[in-house]
Amino acid sequence: QVQIVQSGGESVQAGGSLRLSCAVSGFSFRSYCMAWFRQSPGEEREGVSFIRSDGRITYAEFVKGRFTISQDSGKNTLYLQMNNLTPEDTGMYYCATRPASLAFRCPTQPIDYDYWGQGTQVTVSS
């Protein structure tokens, strides 16, 4: 059974940094996609960043240059380093994973992911 446990969300001031973590267990696919999504109240869940098991990375335009996705394969852990945070980054952040398809990059829509973490709240104040 796949289990995903997230940590790292908290409240920070604009311009600050946070690192989110996502520990995955019970997932045995050699090729996979892992992703960070976020959702603000009243808004749809949106993709933030994606990484394939082979290291291919995709970022949403609104986080390029500020956020960095990385993985520690040995620990089955995904990270999201978030720098220069703005109030618009406030929301619930979710980690998700799925087996990789033949596509060059990971899918970017929530519906394409099979397993989800519980979410962690990030609040950025001005």
Side-chain angles (χ1 to χ4, degrees), residues 41-118:
E43 302 290 331
E44 293 187 353
R45 194 168 297 187
E46 62 181 355
V48 174
S49 185
F50 312 84
I51 186 168
R52 275 179 59 109
S53 45
D54 60 8
R56 300 173 199 173
I57 291 174
T58 303
Y59 291 104
E61 284 296 323
F62 54 81
V63 302
K64 280 186 179 179
R66 299 189 300 127
F67 291 10
T68 302
I69 191 171
S70 62
Q71 58 181 340
D72 183 334
S73 300
K75 296 181 180 179
N76 293 331
T77 302
L78 180 71
Y79 302 99
L80 184 68
Q81 177 67 42
M82 305 186 293
N83 299 326
N84 194 21
L85 286 160
T86 72
E88 288 70 34
D89 295 316
T90 294
M92 187 71 79
Y93 282 70
Y94 296 91
C95 171
T97 190
R98 57 158 288 160
S101 68
L102 297 177
F104 184 76
R105 293 193 182 275
C106 293
T108 60
Q109 297 301 311
I111 196 172
D112 293 318
Y113 286 80
D114 304 313
Y115 307 101
W116 290 85
Q118 81 278 18

Side-chain angles (χ1 to χ4, degrees), residues 1-71:
Q1 182 178 355
V2 177
Q3 289 190 319
I4 301 178
V5 178
Q6 299 182 222
S7 60
E10 59 183 77
S11 297
V12 296
Q13 293 207 327
S17 297
L18 284 174
R19 189 174 84 155
L20 306 183
S21 298
C22 166
V24 182
S25 60
F27 188 81
S28 60
F29 291 95
R30 295 181 63 183
S31 297
Y32 55 83
C33 285
M34 296 192 74
W36 290 101
F37 290 86
R38 72 184 186 187
Q39 189 168 19
S40 302
E43 302 290 331
E44 293 187 353
R45 194 168 297 187
E46 62 181 355
V48 174
S49 185
F50 312 84
I51 186 168
R52 275 179 59 109
S53 45
D54 60 8
R56 300 173 199 173
I57 291 174
T58 303
Y59 291 104
E61 284 296 323
F62 54 81
V63 302
K64 280 186 179 179
R66 299 189 300 127
F67 291 10
T68 302
I69 191 171
S70 62
Q71 58 181 340

